[in-house]
Amino acid sequence: MRQENRANGADEPPSKKRKIAQKFRYGSILSLNFTNFMTFTHAALNPGPHLNLITGPNGSGKSSFFCALFLVLGGSPKLIGRSPSARDFIQHSKDTATIEVELCTPQGTVRLKRVILLNESKWFINNVPKTEGEVHKVVARNNIILDNLTQFLPQDRVKAFATLSPVELLQKTEEAILDPAVVQLHDQLIGIGADLAKSLREQQDTKQVLEVLSAQNKAALKEVERHRHKQQLLRKREECLLAIPFFEFARKQKQGSALNTKVEEAKNALSVEQEKEEKTQSQDLDLKRKKLDFKIQQTAYAKKKFEDQRETLQTTFEKVTHETEGLLEEESLLEERRVQRERGLQQATAELKALETAVVASVPLSQLEESVREKAEEVRQLGEQYERILDQLGHQRKRVAATHAELNQTTELLNRASSVHSTRLGVTWQTTPNCVEVWHWIEAHRALLIGNVYLVALELEVSTGDPLHAKYLEAAIPRWLMNSFVCEDPADQAVIAAEVRDKLHKQFCLILRPVAGDSPPPSRLCDLEVIRPFGITHWLDQIFRAPASVAAAILDNVPVQKVAVGTAETAGCFQQLSQRVPTLQTIFTPDEQYHVTESRYNHQRSTRVSPLHPPRLLIQAAANTDALKESVERIKRTLVELQAQVQRSQTTEQQARMERERCHQQKMDLQTAWEQNKGLRKRLEHKKLEVSRAQKFGDVAAERQRIRSRIKTLNQKRASALAGITEALKGTVEHTLQHTLDSFERDRVQELHRVFQEEAKHKQTRLNDCRKKAATLEAEYTQLKADLMHLRRQALEKRAEYEKRWDVSTDQSIAILKALPDNVEKLQADARAAQLEAEAIYADPAVLIEYTNRANQIRQLSARLDTLVCEHEALARKLATSKERWLTPLTQAIQELNLKFQSRCEAQGITGVIELDYKDESNFGTYGIELSCSFRAGEAMHRLDPYRQSGGERSVVTILYLLALQSLNQCPLRVVDEIDQGMDASNQRKVFYQMLDACAEPDTPQSFLITPKLLPDMIPSNALNWTCL
């Protein structure tokens, strides 16, 4: 790139030399620098105060200067016509682009700077960070209008300038040459004209509606009169019906007085019956009956006692008699028994000797007892050993079961981790297929990479296990960051960029974030305990986990450490929380996201509440599949070892069980031998006792004497028992007789008691009848009072409805009721007559309603029409005043502009004219500039449009119009990009020299002309700043 400054050269003809002032207008460009912008790594431009020429072949980057100047002044990329996004102007394979410009302002030199990043732009004024709005203010203060094609005409919008309508051309011209106050007057006139037309239409519509409504009311007047007469009859009927409840109330009051008298009489009769009630002897008879019952019980008890005594003595007598008979029989068999006892003694003596021999030959009993005890101890020890083996086997089986469960759980986690991994890749494929393809490439070429490379969407996990937190993370972390790759080594970044982005042409975001050492704790807005009473439980960076480089990349791009995670109660106390921590801008609750913003102008705070959507990506936390696979293999090995231990323990258990059963059988055999030995010794002792008793048997005569003595004693007992039985029978008979007499007396007393009870019941029945009668009358009186209250309330409600319907006061309604007759039949007859007469009159109620509504509408529309007339007159006066103030300077400016345009066209060899045109004088939105031209002799002038004139002709007219504007324009600069593309050599030379003439005039704006070609010997030497690429 070569930049030359030419001044007062000798190569230019004297007639073409120009004298250019060296003073910059306020708002002019002093310097322009940009780095990594479009095709330039670095470029700089130091323009002059007037014409600045930028030339170079196609594709050399001429338009880069125009685009850089446009963007650094805050222009939208869409207005350039190349790309809607500023990031597309960054040089290929670069991440940022920087543009700097110096402006000449009344306050001195101002340096504006814009740094374009992949996702945003940063703004600086004099190297101080500012907002885009503050840059726009600086540009506007210096009268630079970026969207006005008379100031900035890019290469891709030359045709757009030619296609401007007359109205649009007038708007752009006004902005360029008129005072802003005059331009505002035009906008006001357009609004006033629209308001006038609207007011006139509304007046006409209102008048038409008034005429229609008045005619309709006039036609319906007779029907309304009939309806009003019918309403009077219905009112009379309603008055008669209204009086009936009041007269019914008076009649009921009289009935109540009579009924109250009957109630008092019934109460008096009840008092008399209560006084006549006499005391009976029921209590005395009941006491006597109770005494007789007690006496009968005592007699029955004594009778039972004698009967029991008789039965006891009878039993004793029978027993003694039986024993006596036995002794007599024993005496008769005494000799026979002696012979039998001698034989039994001999047999018992032989058996005794055999038992003594067997006892001597058997094992001693103490020795058997000692063997049984030893064997029992051995059985106990074997049992304890067997229980220990069983416990050990049970413990081992539990370990096997637990290991099986752990293996199943780990296998399930491994399957789930693989499923979550696939699910996340599927969701990512739906939105960004390139990311999934790049991830597969990285997985297949891990051997080429030095460090770790992560896909953020696969590595992010919710550490708390709460599904709500997954929803918060997806709402807070942008999707482009979720689909980004994080690289820890710069060499890996270069490899992936070269192999995937350059060769495979895959577009993706790759973030370089080396693993740092111990990072300091994140800065907090406040301590969590301060905001915990408002339902805040976490900061957002506390609810997820990820590899260190991924977490650092997230913190670099999203301030998650300053985002609060709340609960449902946080929504109710959001205002208090905002006042407690004013710097807290983002809060999550289970259903909504609260985002607080502050205005840059008046510092007012506003809150935007956004609903939260269910998570699609972070459905579960993905597990480390390699670690899970290692865990599965380790658990399987442990399970095999435990199963072998269980097998060995089962063998040991079978051996111990068999040994315990064998020892137990030996113990049972010894126990049986001990019991048999003990039984043998017991039979020996019994046999010895039997022999001893047989040897002690005495003489038969002595035995006979003993038996006779016993029989005598028993006979005495029989005589005594017989005497007792006689006395008992005597007492039983006496008490039975007394019991019978007492029973008769009790039955007589009970009968008397029953008679007295029946008489008392009859008296109580009469008393209850009196009470019921009194209660019935009391209830009838109470019901009558309730009916009176209901009737009174109903009458008052009807009177209130009547007063509300006919709009009368209470005093008036009372007076109307008093004027009516007090005969209910007469009132009913009058009501029926009024109803019949009203029914005979046919009147549509809707007619009266419509009549009333139309009357109200007529009043409202009449008032509205008067208001509209006043408003229309005020708008007309305001329009006349504003039109004069706007049209006068506009006409003068267009006339002056027309003269200059005609002069420029004559110098170019063509004919052109500028006229102010309008279709409707009162419609200021139709005012426009008619730009007409003729390029050939004898040809009529035609309006400039993209269909009649060629591209070169349109370019010539466009540049001539801009040059004509230059002397009238108050803007500080003008930029034209490749306006001469379609011009021939003659037109290009003439236009170029006219631009030099324009720049030689005093107080002209700074101009930039960007062109790919110049004719030979065309560059003058007077006051030209030329940059050649």
Side-chain angles (χ1 to χ4, degrees):
M1 182 177 70
R2 183 175 76 255
Q3 180 170 335
E4 299 180 4
N5 292 319
R6 305 248 180 126
N8 299 327
D11 296 335
E12 184 69 22
S15 61
K16 297 294 183 180
K17 291 183 180 180
R18 300 291 182 265
K19 187 175 181 180
I20 303 175
Q22 297 299 317
K23 184 178 180 182
F24 286 90
R25 270 191 182 186
Y26 291 136
S28 298
I29 307 299
L30 300 180
S31 67
L32 176 67
N33 297 275
F34 49 87
T35 305
N36 298 334
F37 186 80
M38 295 181 70
T39 59
F40 289 95
T41 302
H42 178 73
L45 177 66
N46 297 309
H50 300 293
L51 179 62
N52 296 274
L53 185 64
I54 301 175
T55 64
N58 290 331
S60 60
K62 302 181 300 301
S63 298
S64 300
F65 289 89
F66 175 85
C67 296
L69 181 61
F70 192 83
L71 293 178
V72 76
L73 293 176
S76 172
K78 298 179 181 179
L79 297 178
I80 299 177
R82 288 177 176 264
S83 173
S85 175
R87 64 182 293 177
D88 295 332
F89 291 89
I90 301 176
Q91 190 178 15
H92 182 63
S93 74
K94 302 296 182 181
D95 296 331
T96 60
T98 304
I99 311 173
E100 245 183 292
V101 66
E102 287 187 352
L103 294 179
C104 177
T105 67
Q107 293 79 23
T109 301
V110 175
R111 183 181 295 272
L112 303 180
K113 179 179 178 182
R114 180 175 184 175
V115 179
I116 303 175
L117 303 175
L118 293 176
N119 301 308
E120 61 177 347
S121 292
K122 296 183 179 180
W123 303 85
F124 300 86
I125 300 178
N126 293 330
N127 294 324
V128 178
K130 298 292 184 178
T131 62
E132 184 178 0
E134 292 173 322
V135 172
H136 288 167
K137 290 181 179 179
V138 173
V139 173
R141 281 199 301 267
N142 290 277
N143 200 25
I144 300 175
I145 306 174
L146 298 175
D147 58 350
N148 193 333
L149 295 180
T150 64
Q151 288 194 28
F152 281 82
L153 185 60
Q155 171 185 347
D156 299 316
R157 301 194 66 191
V158 174
K159 183 177 179 181
F161 184 88
T163 57
L164 289 176
S165 67
V167 175
E168 294 172 338
L169 186 59
L170 174 61
Q171 179 184 359
K172 302 298 182 182
T173 304
E174 283 180 325
E175 293 175 355
I177 64 176
L178 292 180
D179 192 325
V182 178
V183 178
Q184 291 180 0
L185 279 176
H186 188 190
D187 296 335
Q188 293 176 4
L189 285 170
I190 293 174
I192 294 172
D195 292 340
L196 275 173
K198 180 180 177 181
S199 175
L200 185 59
R201 288 193 302 271
E202 191 172 355
Q203 288 182 41
Q204 294 173 353
D205 295 342
T206 304
K207 289 179 181 178
Q208 293 177 359
V209 173
L210 279 173
E211 292 174 358
V212 172
L213 292 176
S214 299
Q216 290 176 349
N217 270 11
K218 186 175 181 182
L221 185 59
K222 292 183 178 179
E223 183 72 18
V224 170
E225 292 296 333
R226 286 198 302 272
H227 189 276
R228 287 174 178 171
H229 179 58
K230 181 177 182 179
Q231 289 295 104
Q232 291 176 356
L233 293 174
L234 293 176
R235 180 177 179 178
K236 180 179 179 182
R237 170 185 173 276
E238 188 173 354
E239 290 172 353
C240 294
L241 295 179
L242 176 64
I244 291 174
F246 286 96
F247 295 137
E248 286 290 334
F249 179 79
R251 185 177 62 79
K252 289 281 187 180
Q253 276 185 329
K254 295 178 181 179
Q255 290 180 0
S257 299
L259 188 59
N260 189 21
T261 303
K262 292 181 179 180
V263 169
E264 294 297 331
E265 293 176 354
K267 288 182 179 180
N268 294 332
L270 178 62
S271 300
V272 172
E273 289 293 333
Q274 289 176 348
E275 291 175 358
K276 290 181 179 180
E277 184 181 4
E278 297 179 356
K279 292 185 179 181
T280 64
Q281 299 179 1
S282 176
Q283 295 179 354
D284 297 337
L285 292 174
D286 187 56
L287 180 60
K288 187 175 182 181
R289 181 181 58 81
K290 289 180 180 180
K291 289 180 178 180
L292 289 172
D293 287 339
F294 179 74
K295 186 177 180 181
I296 290 172
Q297 290 177 359
Q298 294 293 328
T299 305
Y301 176 73
K303 175 185 175 184
K304 183 68 170 57
K305 184 177 179 181
F306 279 110
E307 289 178 350
D308 293 343
Q309 184 179 359
R310 181 183 62 79
E311 291 177 357
T312 302
L313 292 174
Q314 185 70 28
T315 302
T316 303
F317 178 80
E318 293 175 354
K319 183 178 180 181
V320 171
T321 302
H322 179 69
E323 185 177 357
T324 303
E325 293 174 352
L327 289 173
L328 292 174
E329 184 179 358
E330 182 180 358
E331 183 181 5
S332 63
L333 299 175
L334 191 61
E335 186 63 27
E336 183 180 355
R337 291 174 59 190
R338 183 184 63 79
V339 175
Q340 290 178 354
R341 285 181 180 178
E342 286 179 357
R343 289 198 209 100
L345 179 60
Q346 293 175 359
Q347 184 179 356
T349 302
E351 291 177 358
L352 178 61
K353 289 181 180 181
L355 288 173
E356 288 177 348
T357 302
V359 169
V360 172
S362 65
V363 181
L365 190 61
S366 59
Q367 184 178 352
L368 287 174
E369 290 178 352
E370 184 63 26
S371 298
V372 170
R373 283 196 296 271
E374 292 176 356
K375 191 57 67 175
E377 180 64 24
E378 185 178 357
V379 169
R380 185 187 63 79
Q381 293 176 357
L382 290 174
E384 292 178 354
Q385 182 180 359
Y386 180 72
E387 292 295 332
R388 288 195 296 272
I389 294 173
L390 285 180
D391 291 341
Q392 183 180 1
L393 180 60
H395 179 66
Q396 291 174 350
R397 286 175 176 169
K398 288 181 180 178
R399 288 186 60 192
V400 170
T403 308
H404 268 297
E406 184 180 2
L407 178 61
N408 294 334
Q409 184 178 3
T410 308
T411 305
E412 183 180 356
L413 287 177
L414 179 59
N415 296 333
R416 191 183 304 168
S418 301
S419 175
V420 170
H421 192 272
S422 302
T423 302
R424 291 192 180 183
L425 284 178
V427 174
T428 306
W429 176 268
Q430 294 175 2
T431 57
T432 316
N434 281 349
C435 288
V436 179
E437 295 176 1
V438 173
W439 181 83
H440 284 302
W441 185 93
I442 292 173
E443 288 296 313
H445 298 82
R446 286 285 182 183
L448 300 178
L449 305 178
I450 300 174
N452 294 321
V453 179
Y454 303 104
L455 178 58
V456 176
L458 298 182
E459 302 299 332
L460 194 61
E461 303 176 16
V462 179
S463 59
T464 59
D466 191 342
L468 289 176
H469 293 172
K471 182 164 60 174
Y472 302 160
L473 286 175
E474 285 201 17
I477 300 177
R479 180 55 59 89
W480 70 265
L481 184 56
M482 281 287 193
N483 297 335
S484 300
F485 292 87
V486 179
C487 179
E488 296 179 349
D489 192 277
D492 294 341
Q493 183 187 25
V495 169
I496 296 173
E499 296 294 332
V500 181
R501 181 178 294 167
D502 297 339
K503 293 183 179 181
L504 301 180
H505 304 291
K506 300 294 183 182
Q507 297 297 325
F508 62 96
C509 183
L510 181 60
I511 302 173
L512 176 61
R513 193 59 170 83
V515 179
D518 295 336
S519 58
S523 60
R524 306 291 187 193
L525 299 177
C526 65
D527 188 45
L528 187 61
E529 296 301 326
V530 175
I531 56 178
R532 194 179 294 278
F534 299 97
I536 303 301
T537 59
H538 300 82
W539 296 105
L540 193 61
D541 63 329
Q542 297 175 344
I543 68 172
F544 72 88
R545 59 173 174 268
S549 56
V550 175
I554 293 174
L555 289 173
D556 291 343
N557 291 276
V558 182
V560 292
Q561 73 277 12
K562 298 180 181 180
V563 178
V565 176
T567 58
E569 62 177 324
T570 307
C573 55
F574 175 74
Q575 295 296 335
Q576 296 87 338
L577 178 58
S578 297
Q579 296 174 0
R580 184 68 178 85
V581 186
T583 56
L584 185 60
Q585 294 185 345
T586 305
I587 301 172
F588 284 101
T589 61
D591 297 321
E592 297 168 330
Q593 175 186 2
Y594 293 80
H595 185 71
V596 182
T597 57
E598 183 174 341
S599 174
R600 300 188 183 98
Y601 305 102
N602 53 12
H603 302 288
Q604 291 184 353
R605 293 167 61 86
S606 62
T607 303
R608 184 176 73 253
V609 182
S610 305
L612 295 178
H613 304 286
R616 295 182 65 247
L617 192 63
L618 302 178
I619 53 174
Q620 296 180 25
N624 190 335
T625 55
D626 295 336
L628 289 175
K629 290 178 181 178
E630 293 177 1
S631 298
V632 169
E633 295 299 327
R634 176 182 55 78
I635 293 170
K636 286 182 177 179
R637 291 193 297 271
T638 304
L639 184 60
V640 171
E641 294 175 0
L642 289 174
Q643 288 175 345
Q645 292 178 6
V646 169
Q647 188 66 30
R648 292 194 295 271
S649 297
Q650 286 178 346
T651 303
T652 305
E653 183 265 337
Q654 291 176 359
Q655 294 174 356
R657 177 164 47 81
M658 293 174 63
E659 180 65 21
R660 189 188 68 168
E661 291 175 354
R662 183 188 61 77
C663 187
H664 181 71
Q665 186 61 39
Q666 291 177 357
K667 175 200 167 188
M668 294 305 295
D669 294 342
L670 289 173
Q671 185 73 23
T672 303
W674 178 81
E675 291 177 353
Q676 291 175 355
N677 196 343
K678 188 175 181 181
L680 183 62
R681 295 177 186 275
K682 285 184 177 181
R683 287 199 301 274
L684 176 61
E685 293 296 330
H686 180 71
K687 191 57 68 175
K688 286 181 179 180
L689 182 61
E690 184 180 352
V691 170
S692 176
R693 287 178 178 176
Q695 289 176 352
K696 293 180 180 180
F697 186 73
D699 189 12
V700 177
E703 185 68 19
R704 185 178 289 112
Q705 184 64 32
R706 183 188 65 79
I707 289 173
R708 289 178 178 177
S709 177
R710 178 62 180 165
I711 291 173
K712 183 179 179 181
T713 302
L714 292 174
N715 287 332
Q716 291 176 356
K717 288 183 178 181
R718 288 174 63 190
S720 177
L722 187 59
I725 290 172
T726 303
E727 291 296 329
L729 285 172
K730 183 179 178 181
T732 300
V733 172
E734 291 177 355
H735 285 86
T736 301
L737 180 61
Q738 185 63 39
H739 181 272
T740 303
L741 295 175
D742 291 341
S743 297
F744 288 153
E745 181 64 19
R746 185 192 62 182
D747 293 341
R748 186 183 66 81
V749 171
Q750 189 170 359
E751 180 64 20
L752 292 175
H753 184 268
R754 185 185 63 78
V755 172
F756 281 113
Q757 285 288 347
E758 289 180 357
E759 292 179 357
K761 285 181 180 181
H762 289 309
K763 291 181 180 180
Q764 186 65 34
T765 301
R766 291 194 299 272
L767 185 61
N768 290 338
D769 292 341
C770 293
R771 288 174 179 169
K772 286 181 181 179
K773 183 178 180 181
T776 301
L777 293 173
E778 184 72 24
E780 290 179 0
Y781 180 70
T782 303
Q783 182 63 36
L784 184 61
K785 288 174 64 177
D787 293 342
L788 281 172
M789 295 299 296
H790 176 71
L791 190 61
R792 181 176 182 274
R793 183 169 60 253
Q794 185 178 8
L796 292 177
E797 290 176 355
K798 288 185 177 181
R799 190 179 70 183
E801 291 176 2
Y802 171 81
E803 293 171 355
K804 182 178 180 181
R805 180 178 302 171
W806 301 105
D807 193 18
V808 297
S809 63
T810 303
D811 295 337
Q812 291 174 342
S813 62
I814 293 174
I816 291 172
L817 292 175
K818 289 181 178 180
L820 294 173
D822 57 355
N823 190 340
V824 175
E825 289 76 7
K826 180 66 169 61
L827 290 173
Q828 291 176 346
D830 292 344
R832 283 194 298 272
Q835 183 176 2
L836 291 174
E837 187 177 355
E839 290 176 351
I841 299 174
Y842 174 76
D844 188 2
V847 174
L848 180 61
I849 296 174
E850 293 175 358
Y851 180 87
T852 305
N853 293 337
R854 285 195 294 267
N856 294 332
Q857 291 180 8
I858 289 172
R859 287 193 298 271
Q860 295 174 0
L861 290 176
S862 299
R864 176 60 182 165
L865 183 60
D866 295 340
T867 303
L868 288 174
V869 171
C870 296
E871 291 178 354
H872 188 272
E873 293 174 354
L875 287 173
R877 290 191 298 270
K878 185 177 180 181
L879 179 68
T881 304
S882 299
K883 179 179 179 182
E884 180 67 23
R885 292 169 55 198
W886 170 71
L887 194 58
T888 299
L890 177 63
T891 304
Q892 295 174 356
I894 290 179
Q895 290 174 355
E896 187 176 354
L897 180 62
N898 182 39
L899 293 175
K900 292 184 178 294
F901 180 70
Q902 289 177 346
S903 175
R904 298 289 180 185
C905 289
E906 290 174 1
Q908 194 71 18
I910 63 175
T911 305
V913 64
I914 298 174
E915 297 176 338
L916 181 64
D917 183 39
Y918 51 83
K919 297 179 180 179
D920 183 3
E921 184 179 1
S922 61
N923 188 357
F924 295 92
T926 62
Y927 278 68
I929 290 180
E930 191 73 31
L931 183 59
S932 303
C933 58
S934 174
F935 286 86
R936 297 164 188 82
E939 181 184 19
M941 287 192 295
H942 297 281
R943 180 180 177 274
L944 182 66
D945 60 55
Y947 307 106
R948 177 174 292 277
Q949 290 84 9
S950 66
E953 291 173 344
R954 292 197 306 271
S955 299
V956 170
V957 175
T958 299
I959 195 65
L960 293 179
Y961 185 78
L962 295 178
L963 291 174
L965 281 175
Q966 182 169 293
S967 60
L968 302 177
N969 195 355
Q970 300 301 318
C971 66
L973 59 93
R974 179 180 296 107
V975 183
V976 180
D977 185 9
E978 299 191 13
I979 191 66
D980 56 348
Q981 277 287 57
M983 297 183 188
D984 56 15
S986 175
N987 282 327
Q988 184 183 8
R989 188 179 298 276
K990 292 178 181 179
V991 167
F992 188 75
Y993 285 136
Q994 288 209 49
M995 291 179 67
L996 291 178
D997 290 337
C999 292
E1001 296 176 0
D1003 193 23
T1004 56
Q1006 187 180 39
S1007 300
F1008 292 85
L1009 175 62
I1010 302 173
T1011 180
K1013 60 181 181 178
L1014 285 177
L1015 297 176
D1017 300 328
M1018 187 172 175
I1019 301 301
S1021 59
N1022 55 330
L1024 177 67
N1025 191 58
W1026 177 34
T1027 301
C1028 181
L1029 302 180

